[in-house]
Structures are given as C-alpha cells and as structure tokens.
Amino acid sequence: MIQQMNIYISNRVLWLTLSISFFLAIVGCGGEDGYRDISDYYFPVDDMEEGYVYLYDVYEGLPYTKDVWFYKKVEDEEEGKVFLSAQQYDAGFNVVQFQLQSITASGALLDQNVFYSTSEDGRAVPNESRIEEDNHFPFLVKDSLGVFLSSLVFWDIRDSTEITLVRNRRFLRDTVVDLWGSNTPAIVMGVREAYDYNKEGVLTVESSGIEIYAKNIGLIYSKKMIQDSFEVSFGLDTFYYMDNFLEEIELQH
C-alpha cells in the first residue's frame, strides 16, 4: 500500500540531484533478451483500487499554481483486463483531461483520451480524441535508443481547429532523487511532442524535455521547453486518498 508522503521537489534541488545520477549496467539487469522491466517506476496501479490524488506544484508555464491528477485502478473481470483511469483537474477543481490506460505486460496503452474545453456559459465540454498510436508508457526497455510512440487527434470546439498530438518517450537513464531526506531510485525519460494545428494551413509547435518517475510512486517531475524558448515544469507535492480529495472539492464548491 502506498504510504502518504509530503514530497517537495524544487527545480534547483532536482537538478542538483540529477547531476549525480548514474547509469545502471544493463547487462545482468535485464532478461535473456536484454530487456529490462521498469514497471515499478510507473504508477503503482495495484495499490490504486480506492483511488489516489497526486498534487503537483507548478513551477513555470501554466496559469495556475497546482496541477491535480486523480488515478484509480479499474478492472474488467469478464475480459480479465486492468485499466488505470487518470483525470486531471486545475487548481479550481475543474476537469481538464481524462485518460483510460490499459495496463499490459509490455506497458500502459492509451485506450481513451478526452480534453475538456470551457464553453461561453462556463460549462466543461468534452473533446473526444481519436487514438492513432497507443504506446503511452513502456514497461520493457533495452537501451536509450528505443522510442515509444503515441498520437491522437481531437478538435477544438471553440473554432473547429483539428489538433494532432504526436508524443514519443524513451528511457534515458537511472538516477536517485531526494524525497524528503530519503534517497529513492528513479528513472529519467526523454519526451518529445509535436502539436499540429490544422485550420486553413498547419502550424506545428514542438517541445522536448524530461520526466522523472520514482520507484513505487510514479511521475514526480516534468519539464519541457516549447519551441526552445518557453518552459513548462511541475513537481510532485503530495498524494493522498480519493476520499480526502472529494471532501476538498465539496468545500471548494
């Protein structure tokens, strides 16, 4: 079971920690085919039957100071499948995004992705995406050369712009992060994204950055540079049971 932790990671502390990161030898760590299982660094799905909320501090680039994600394990007993549902909220507890990920032996596959826009009367309106490539997060990696692709298409309800998001992740290296005085194994993933905005011509916006996943916790830090000039970054503050989160939503509304 996940233990509640009060986690604070500043940009400076994190980059100092990364400066002493190390590579683990792949030989002897992987299986016979040379692949290594990194599933322990993704979100601990089996412990999420009751649901957990991850609260992130926004450092740069977003119009709010907190980013909230609610994760919950979902099982289809008839099909024998396990899913991770992920719902994103802004600091005002307004829904921003919903994902449904299929958890398999090889990785987390993106089954569904919905973005929410705000209508003129203030309602949250869903924008259902068409999933074209579903490799959201790999569990088996061989080296830093393997690239795992996901892509989807959706439409902006405000002006009918067609938006295509192409994202690839790749394993970069192992590291150790200091989470409240405790050295915790972690991995660094490289991420590249391209948004194509198609309306009377195509405008492409690209970004690149890193994500850090701590063992038995999941994503703890993300930083990307958009068009090499605009930074978006955030780090995990804390996580707790869903019931506590619902109580907080009731207080806000």
Side-chain angles (χ1 to χ4, degrees):
M1 178 62 65
I2 307 174
Q3 300 296 317
Q4 181 175 343
M5 302 175 66
N6 293 321
I7 301 175
Y8 175 77
I9 303 174
S10 69
N11 283 335
R12 292 188 179 90
V13 170
L14 191 56
W15 284 110
L16 285 173
T17 303
L18 286 176
S19 69
I20 60 171
S21 64
F22 60 93
F23 284 96
L24 291 182
I26 297 299
V27 177
C29 293
E32 293 181 359
D33 56 3
Y35 282 89
R36 172 188 169 196
D37 186 346
I38 60 170
S39 59
D40 284 348
Y41 295 87
Y42 199 53
F43 296 97
V45 179
D46 287 339
D47 289 337
M48 291 182 158
E49 292 181 346
E50 301 301 321
Y52 268 85
V53 173
Y54 280 55
L55 182 63
Y56 294 92
D57 286 324
V58 176
Y59 302 138
E60 297 287 346
L62 295 177
Y64 41 85
T65 59
K66 299 290 184 181
D67 195 28
V68 183
W69 283 85
F70 167 55
Y71 294 96
K72 182 176 175 60
K73 178 183 179 180
V74 180
E75 293 186 82
D76 185 336
E77 295 182 357
E78 291 185 2
E79 296 291 333
K81 294 181 179 180
V82 175
F83 300 90
L84 178 65
S85 69
Q87 190 145 303
Q88 181 187 17
Y89 298 84
D90 64 19
F93 301 111
N94 302 301
V95 63
V96 175
Q97 183 180 181
F98 171 80
Q99 293 179 347
L100 187 66
Q101 304 169 20
S102 177
I103 305 301
T104 72
S106 61
L109 307 180
L110 193 59
D111 277 16
Q112 186 179 3
N113 203 119
V114 182
F115 295 99
Y116 288 82
S117 299
T118 303
S119 64
E120 292 182 357
D121 58 2
R123 293 182 298 109
V125 180
N127 295 330
E128 183 77 37
S129 302
R130 183 178 73 244
I131 308 297
E132 299 193 332
E133 299 289 343
D134 63 358
N135 294 300
H136 185 68
F137 188 93
F139 290 168
L140 299 175
V141 297
K142 197 169 189 177
D143 51 38
S144 63
L145 300 179
V147 174
F148 300 85
L149 175 69
S150 64
S151 65
L152 52 86
V153 180
F154 62 100
W155 286 262
D156 190 328
I157 64 167
R158 295 168 295 186
D159 59 8
S160 300
T161 299
E162 181 184 80
I163 303 171
T164 301
L165 167 59
V166 179
R167 176 188 292 121
N168 62 56
R169 285 187 172 92
R170 64 188 180 98
F171 171 79
L172 294 181
R173 61 185 178 271
D174 291 270
T175 189
V176 173
V177 293
D178 181 0
L179 298 182
W180 284 271
S182 177
N183 290 333
T184 302
I187 58 172
V188 183
M189 303 291 289
V191 183
R192 296 186 65 87
E193 294 178 338
Y195 282 86
D196 288 341
Y197 297 87
N198 187 358
K199 184 180 181 182
E200 300 177 357
V202 177
L203 170 65
T204 299
V205 177
E206 297 182 342
S207 70
S208 62
I210 64 165
E211 296 172 336
I212 300 179
Y213 294 80
K215 191 171 185 179
N216 299 321
I217 296 174
L219 180 65
I220 62 168
Y221 179 78
S222 174
K223 177 182 177 180
K224 64 181 178 182
M225 297 298 297
I226 301 174
Q227 300 291 86
D228 296 323
S229 60
F230 183 75
E231 176 181 330
V232 177
S233 59
F234 56 86
L236 185 63
D237 175 26
T238 190
F239 58 92
Y240 45 84
Y241 283 116
M242 177 188 69
D243 289 345
N244 302 112
F245 176 65
L246 294 177
E247 291 175 2
E248 194 167 344
I249 289 181
E250 291 179 0
L251 292 174
Q252 291 289 330
H253 291 81

Coordinates of all heavy atoms in Angstrom, one line a residue, residues 25-73:
A25 N 24.1 -0.8 -15.0 CA 24.5 -1.7 -16.1 C 23.3 -2.5 -16.6 O 22.6 -3.1 -15.8 CB 25.6 -2.6 -15.6
I26 N 23.1 -2.5 -17.9 CA 22.0 -3.3 -18.5 C 22.3 -4.8 -18.4 O 21.5 -5.6 -18.2 CB 21.7 -2.8 -19.9 CG1 21.3 -1.3 -19.9 CG2 20.6 -3.7 -20.5 CD1 20.0 -1.1 -19.1
V27 N 23.6 -5.1 -18.7 CA 24.0 -6.5 -18.7 C 23.8 -7.0 -17.3 O 24.4 -6.5 -16.3 CB 25.4 -6.6 -19.2 CG1 25.9 -8.1 -19.1 CG2 25.6 -6.1 -20.6
G28 N 23.1 -8.1 -17.2 CA 22.9 -8.7 -15.9 C 21.7 -8.2 -15.2 O 21.2 -8.8 -14.3
C29 N 21.1 -7.0 -15.6 CA 19.9 -6.5 -15.0 C 18.6 -6.9 -15.8 O 17.6 -6.9 -15.2 CB 20.0 -4.9 -15.0 SG 21.2 -4.3 -13.9
G30 N 18.8 -7.1 -17.1 CA 17.6 -7.5 -17.9 C 17.5 -9.0 -18.0 O 18.1 -9.8 -17.3
G31 N 16.5 -9.4 -18.8 CA 16.2 -10.8 -19.0 C 17.2 -11.3 -20.1 O 18.1 -10.7 -20.5
E32 N 16.9 -12.5 -20.5 CA 17.7 -13.2 -21.5 C 17.8 -12.4 -22.8 O 18.8 -12.4 -23.6 CB 17.3 -14.6 -21.8 CG 17.4 -15.5 -20.6 CD 16.9 -16.9 -20.8 OE1 16.5 -17.1 -22.0 OE2 17.1 -17.8 -20.0
D33 N 16.7 -11.7 -23.2 CA 16.7 -10.9 -24.4 C 17.2 -9.5 -24.3 O 17.2 -8.7 -25.2 CB 15.2 -10.8 -25.0 CG 14.3 -10.3 -23.9 OD1 14.7 -9.9 -22.9 OD2 13.1 -10.2 -24.2
G34 N 17.7 -9.2 -23.1 CA 18.3 -7.9 -22.8 C 17.4 -6.8 -22.4 O 17.8 -5.7 -22.1
Y35 N 16.1 -7.1 -22.4 CA 15.1 -6.1 -22.0 C 15.0 -6.0 -20.5 O 15.1 -7.1 -19.8 CB 13.7 -6.4 -22.6 CG 13.6 -6.0 -24.0 CD1 14.0 -6.9 -25.0 CD2 13.2 -4.7 -24.4 CE1 13.9 -6.5 -26.4 CE2 13.1 -4.4 -25.7 CZ 13.5 -5.3 -26.7 OH 13.4 -4.9 -28.0
R36 N 14.7 -4.9 -20.0 CA 14.6 -4.6 -18.5 C 13.2 -4.1 -18.2 O 12.6 -3.3 -18.9 CB 15.6 -3.6 -18.1 CG 15.5 -3.1 -16.7 CD 16.4 -1.9 -16.4 NE 16.1 -1.3 -15.2 CZ 16.6 -0.1 -14.9 NH1 17.3 0.6 -15.7 NH2 16.3 0.5 -13.7
D37 N 12.7 -4.6 -17.1 CA 11.3 -4.2 -16.7 C 11.4 -3.0 -15.8 O 12.0 -3.0 -14.7 CB 10.7 -5.4 -15.9 CG 9.2 -5.2 -15.6 OD1 8.8 -4.0 -15.7 OD2 8.6 -6.1 -15.2
I38 N 10.8 -1.9 -16.2 CA 10.8 -0.7 -15.4 C 9.4 -0.4 -14.9 O 9.1 0.8 -14.5 CB 11.3 0.5 -16.2 CG1 10.5 0.8 -17.5 CG2 12.8 0.3 -16.6 CD1 10.8 2.1 -18.2
S39 N 8.5 -1.4 -14.9 CA 7.1 -1.1 -14.5 C 7.0 -0.6 -13.0 O 6.0 0.1 -12.7 CB 6.2 -2.4 -14.7 OG 6.8 -3.4 -13.9
D40 N 8.0 -0.9 -12.2 CA 7.9 -0.5 -10.8 C 8.0 1.0 -10.7 O 7.8 1.6 -9.6 CB 9.0 -1.1 -10.0 CG 8.7 -2.6 -9.6 OD1 7.6 -3.0 -9.8 OD2 9.6 -3.3 -9.2
Y41 N 8.5 1.7 -11.7 CA 8.6 3.1 -11.7 C 7.4 3.9 -12.2 O 7.3 5.1 -12.1 CB 9.9 3.6 -12.5 CG 11.2 3.0 -11.9 CD1 11.6 1.8 -12.3 CD2 11.9 3.8 -11.0 CE1 12.8 1.3 -11.7 CE2 13.0 3.3 -10.4 CZ 13.5 2.1 -10.8 OH 14.7 1.6 -10.2
Y42 N 6.5 3.1 -12.8 CA 5.2 3.8 -13.2 C 4.3 3.8 -12.0 O 4.7 3.4 -10.9 CB 4.6 3.0 -14.3 CG 3.6 3.7 -15.1 CD1 3.9 5.0 -15.7 CD2 2.3 3.2 -15.3 CE1 2.9 5.7 -16.4 CE2 1.3 4.0 -16.0 CZ 1.7 5.2 -16.5 OH 0.7 5.9 -17.2
F43 N 3.1 4.4 -12.1 CA 2.2 4.5 -11.0 C 1.9 3.1 -10.5 O 1.7 2.1 -11.3 CB 0.9 5.2 -11.4 CG 1.2 6.6 -11.9 CD1 1.3 6.9 -13.2 CD2 1.3 7.6 -10.9 CE1 1.6 8.2 -13.6 CE2 1.5 8.9 -11.3 CZ 1.7 9.2 -12.6
P44 N 1.8 2.9 -9.1 CA 1.6 1.6 -8.5 C 0.1 1.2 -8.7 O -0.7 1.3 -7.7 CB 2.0 1.8 -7.1 CG 1.8 3.2 -6.8 CD 2.1 3.9 -8.1
V45 N -0.3 0.7 -9.9 CA -1.7 0.5 -10.2 C -2.4 -0.4 -9.2 O -3.5 -0.2 -8.8 CB -1.8 0.0 -11.7 CG1 -3.3 -0.3 -12.0 CG2 -1.2 1.0 -12.7
D46 N -1.7 -1.5 -8.8 CA -2.4 -2.5 -8.0 C -2.8 -1.9 -6.6 O -3.6 -2.5 -5.9 CB -1.5 -3.7 -7.8 CG -1.4 -4.6 -9.0 OD1 -2.3 -4.5 -9.8 OD2 -0.4 -5.3 -9.1
D47 N -2.1 -0.8 -6.2 CA -2.5 -0.2 -4.9 C -3.5 0.9 -5.1 O -3.8 1.6 -4.1 CB -1.2 0.4 -4.3 CG -0.3 -0.6 -3.8 OD1 -0.7 -1.7 -3.5 OD2 0.9 -0.3 -3.6
M48 N -4.1 1.1 -6.3 CA -4.9 2.2 -6.5 C -6.4 1.9 -6.7 O -7.2 2.6 -7.3 CB -4.4 3.0 -7.8 CG -3.1 3.7 -7.5 SD -2.5 4.6 -9.0 CE -1.4 5.8 -8.2
E49 N -6.8 0.8 -6.1 CA -8.2 0.4 -6.2 C -9.2 1.4 -5.6 O -10.3 1.6 -6.0 CB -8.4 -1.0 -5.5 CG -7.7 -2.1 -6.3 CD -8.0 -3.5 -5.6 OE1 -8.4 -3.5 -4.4 OE2 -7.7 -4.5 -6.3
E50 N -8.7 2.1 -4.5 CA -9.6 3.1 -3.8 C -9.4 4.5 -4.4 O -10.1 5.4 -4.1 CB -9.3 3.1 -2.3 CG -9.5 1.8 -1.6 CD -10.9 1.3 -1.8 OE1 -11.9 2.2 -1.7 OE2 -11.1 0.1 -1.9
G51 N -8.4 4.6 -5.3 CA -8.1 5.9 -5.9 C -7.2 6.8 -5.1 O -7.3 6.9 -3.9
Y52 N -6.2 7.4 -5.8 CA -5.3 8.3 -5.2 C -5.2 9.6 -6.0 O -5.3 9.6 -7.2 CB -3.9 7.7 -5.1 CG -3.6 7.0 -3.9 CD1 -3.9 5.7 -3.7 CD2 -2.9 7.7 -2.8 CE1 -3.6 5.0 -2.5 CE2 -2.7 7.0 -1.6 CZ -3.0 5.7 -1.5 OH -2.8 5.0 -0.3
V53 N -5.0 10.7 -5.3 CA -4.9 12.0 -5.9 C -3.4 12.4 -5.8 O -2.8 12.4 -4.7 CB -5.8 13.1 -5.2 CG1 -5.5 14.5 -5.8 CG2 -7.2 12.7 -5.4
Y54 N -2.8 12.8 -6.9 CA -1.5 13.4 -7.0 C -1.6 14.9 -7.2 O -2.1 15.3 -8.2 CB -0.7 12.7 -8.1 CG -0.2 11.3 -7.8 CD1 -1.0 10.3 -7.4 CD2 1.2 11.1 -7.9 CE1 -0.5 9.1 -7.1 CE2 1.7 9.8 -7.7 CZ 0.8 8.8 -7.3 OH 1.3 7.5 -7.0
L55 N -1.0 15.6 -6.3 CA -1.0 17.1 -6.3 C 0.4 17.6 -6.7 O 1.4 17.4 -6.0 CB -1.4 17.6 -4.9 CG -1.6 19.1 -4.8 CD1 -2.7 19.7 -5.7 CD2 -1.8 19.5 -3.3
Y56 N 0.5 18.3 -7.8 CA 1.7 18.8 -8.3 C 1.8 20.3 -8.1 O 0.9 21.0 -8.4 CB 1.9 18.5 -9.8 CG 2.0 17.0 -10.1 CD1 0.9 16.2 -10.4 CD2 3.2 16.3 -10.1 CE1 1.0 14.9 -10.6 CE2 3.3 15.0 -10.3 CZ 2.2 14.3 -10.6 OH 2.3 12.9 -10.9
D57 N 3.0 20.8 -7.7 CA 3.3 22.2 -7.7 C 3.7 22.6 -9.1 O 4.6 22.0 -9.7 CB 4.4 22.5 -6.8 CG 4.0 22.5 -5.3 OD1 2.8 22.9 -5.0 OD2 4.8 22.0 -4.5
V58 N 3.1 23.7 -9.7 CA 3.5 24.2 -11.0 C 4.6 25.2 -10.8 O 4.5 26.2 -10.0 CB 2.3 24.8 -11.7 CG1 2.8 25.5 -13.0 CG2 1.2 23.8 -11.9
Y59 N 5.8 25.0 -11.4 CA 6.9 25.9 -11.3 C 6.9 27.0 -12.4 O 7.1 28.2 -12.1 CB 8.2 25.1 -11.4 CG 8.4 24.0 -10.4 CD1 8.9 22.8 -10.7 CD2 8.0 24.2 -9.0 CE1 9.1 21.8 -9.8 CE2 8.1 23.3 -8.1 CZ 8.7 22.0 -8.5 OH 8.8 21.0 -7.5
E60 N 6.6 26.6 -13.6 CA 6.7 27.5 -14.7 C 5.6 27.1 -15.8 O 5.3 25.9 -16.0 CB 8.1 27.5 -15.4 CG 9.2 28.0 -14.6 CD 9.2 29.4 -14.3 OE1 8.5 30.2 -15.0 OE2 10.0 29.9 -13.4
G61 N 5.1 28.1 -16.5 CA 4.4 27.9 -17.7 C 2.9 27.6 -17.7 O 2.3 27.6 -18.8
L62 N 2.3 27.5 -16.6 CA 0.8 27.2 -16.5 C 0.2 28.4 -15.8 O 0.7 29.0 -14.9 CB 0.5 25.9 -15.9 CG 1.1 24.6 -16.6 CD1 0.8 23.4 -15.8 CD2 0.4 24.5 -18.0
P63 N -1.1 28.6 -16.1 CA -1.8 29.8 -15.5 C -2.4 29.5 -14.1 O -3.3 30.2 -13.6 CB -2.9 30.1 -16.5 CG -3.2 28.7 -17.1 CD -1.9 28.0 -17.2
Y64 N -1.9 28.4 -13.5 CA -2.3 28.1 -12.1 C -1.2 27.5 -11.4 O -0.2 27.0 -12.0 CB -3.6 27.1 -12.1 CG -3.5 26.0 -13.2 CD1 -2.8 24.8 -12.9 CD2 -4.2 26.2 -14.4 CE1 -2.8 23.8 -13.8 CE2 -4.1 25.2 -15.3 CZ -3.5 24.0 -15.1 OH -3.4 23.0 -16.0
T65 N -1.2 27.4 -10.0 CA -0.1 27.0 -9.2 C -0.1 25.6 -8.8 O 0.9 25.0 -8.4 CB 0.0 27.9 -7.9 OG1 -1.2 27.7 -7.2 CG2 0.2 29.3 -8.3
K66 N -1.3 24.9 -9.0 CA -1.4 23.5 -8.7 C -2.0 22.7 -9.8 O -2.9 23.2 -10.5 CB -2.3 23.3 -7.4 CG -1.8 23.9 -6.2 CD -0.6 23.2 -5.6 CE -0.2 23.8 -4.3 NZ 1.1 23.2 -3.7
D67 N -1.5 21.5 -10.1 CA -2.0 20.6 -11.1 C -2.4 19.3 -10.4 O -1.6 18.7 -9.7 CB -0.9 20.3 -12.2 CG -1.5 19.7 -13.4 OD1 -2.7 20.0 -13.7 OD2 -0.8 19.0 -14.1
V68 N -3.6 18.9 -10.6 CA -4.2 17.8 -9.8 C -4.6 16.6 -10.7 O -5.3 16.8 -11.8 CB -5.5 18.3 -9.0 CG1 -6.0 17.1 -8.2 CG2 -5.2 19.5 -8.2
W69 N -4.1 15.4 -10.4 CA -4.5 14.2 -11.1 C -5.0 13.2 -10.2 O -4.5 12.9 -9.1 CB -3.2 13.6 -11.8 CG -2.8 14.4 -13.1 CD1 -2.0 15.5 -13.1 CD2 -3.2 14.0 -14.4 NE1 -1.9 15.9 -14.4 CE2 -2.6 15.0 -15.2 CE3 -3.9 13.0 -15.0 CZ2 -2.7 15.0 -16.6 CZ3 -4.1 13.0 -16.4 CH2 -3.5 14.0 -17.2
F70 N -6.1 12.6 -10.6 CA -6.8 11.5 -9.8 C -6.6 10.2 -10.6 O -7.0 10.1 -11.7 CB -8.3 11.8 -9.6 CG -9.0 10.7 -9.1 CD1 -8.6 10.0 -7.9 CD2 -10.2 10.2 -9.7 CE1 -9.4 8.9 -7.4 CE2 -10.9 9.1 -9.3 CZ -10.5 8.5 -8.1
Y71 N -6.0 9.2 -9.9 CA -5.7 7.9 -10.5 C -6.5 6.8 -9.8 O -6.6 6.8 -8.6 CB -4.2 7.6 -10.4 CG -3.3 8.5 -11.3 CD1 -2.7 9.6 -10.7 CD2 -3.1 8.3 -12.6 CE1 -1.9 10.5 -11.4 CE2 -2.3 9.1 -13.4 CZ -1.7 10.2 -12.8 OH -1.0 11.1 -13.5
K72 N -7.0 5.9 -10.6 CA -7.8 4.8 -10.0 C -7.7 3.5 -10.8 O -7.7 3.6 -12.1 CB -9.2 5.2 -9.8 CG -10.1 4.1 -9.1 CD -11.5 4.6 -8.9 CE -12.4 3.5 -8.4 NZ -12.0 3.0 -7.1
K73 N -7.5 2.4 -10.2 CA -7.4 1.1 -10.9 C -8.9 0.7 -11.2 O -9.8 0.8 -10.4 CB -6.8 0.1 -10.0 CG -6.7 -1.3 -10.6 CD -6.1 -2.3 -9.6 CE -6.1 -3.7 -10.2 NZ -5.5 -4.7 -9.2

